[in-house]
Amino acid sequence: MLWMRRMRVLSRLLHKYRESKKIDKHLYMKVKGNVFKNKRVLMESIRKSKAEKAREKTLSNHFEAKRAENKASWEIKFATREECLAQVVENHLPTQALTWDSQPLPAYQYFENVRNFLMVVKELELPAFDASDLETEAYEVG
């Protein structure tokens, strides 16, 4: 008699939840398969599953927003690097095109080219090293 009462209570609750779309087909079949021993356990399971779905949804939304933010910042950084590089190329091109037959560049032009190159490396935040780095390694190795 107790078993019949328990099953009727679960059946009524299950019917209400199914009509109000609180449970899906998977959970419905679990209940019909006698997985939950009473109403309290069933309700706790439903709350846990809802909380887990909500948690997964917020995490996925958070990760999606973070991914979009990272992509936008990467695009901005890439665009600014391209602009800087184009600006340097436009501003620092020599007036006369160099050919194999032309005269060698004067020393100040070489130094200016090196300075421009170092400015571009600094603007683009590329890894660089100094001659002092090489000297310290030579002393440590030798």
Side-chain angles (χ1 to χ4, degrees):
M1 192 71 173
L2 288 176
W3 180 83
M4 283 178 58
R5 186 176 300 153
R6 183 184 74 168
M7 291 310 293
R8 285 180 184 157
V9 167
L10 285 176
S11 181
R12 272 181 271 154
L13 184 68
L14 182 62
H15 185 68
K16 286 180 189 175
Y17 280 173
R18 183 120 189 253
E19 283 186 357
S20 65
K21 306 259 188 213
K22 285 188 177 182
I23 60 174
D24 58 348
K25 186 175 182 178
H26 179 70
L27 191 60
Y28 177 78
M29 295 306 285
K30 263 187 165 180
V31 175
K32 290 298 268 188
N34 204 17
V35 173
F36 305 103
K37 66 180 184 178
N38 57 30
K39 182 178 172 181
R40 181 180 52 85
V41 174
L42 172 63
M43 292 174 70
E44 285 176 6
S45 175
I46 291 171
R47 284 190 195 116
K48 281 183 183 178
S49 66
K50 280 189 173 187
E52 184 65 27
K53 284 182 184 178
R55 183 177 162 273
E56 287 177 3
K57 187 175 181 179
T58 56
L59 284 176
S60 67
N61 290 342
H62 173 72
F63 287 135
E64 189 175 317
K66 189 69 174 169
R67 191 175 299 119
E69 181 184 332
N70 287 343
K71 186 176 182 181
S73 69
W74 181 83
E75 288 174 354
I76 290 170
K77 186 184 284 187
F78 185 73
T80 55
R81 285 183 180 178
E82 289 294 321
E83 289 172 5
C84 289
L85 188 58
Q87 196 176 38
V88 167
V89 168
E90 288 174 6
N91 294 342
H92 300 295
L93 280 178
T95 55
Q96 171 185 349
L98 296 176
T99 62
W100 293 104
D101 300 333
S102 68
Q103 297 290 328
L105 293 173
Y108 74 88
Q109 185 66 43
Y110 281 117
F111 287 121
E112 188 175 340
N113 289 347
V114 169
R115 183 180 61 86
N116 292 340
F117 174 74
L118 292 175
M119 285 174 34
V120 170
V121 166
K122 190 173 185 180
E123 286 176 5
L124 296 179
E125 299 175 3
L126 296 173
F129 62 91
D130 295 331
S132 61
D133 294 336
L134 296 175
E135 292 171 2
T136 55
E137 276 189 24
Y139 289 130
E140 290 174 0
V141 172

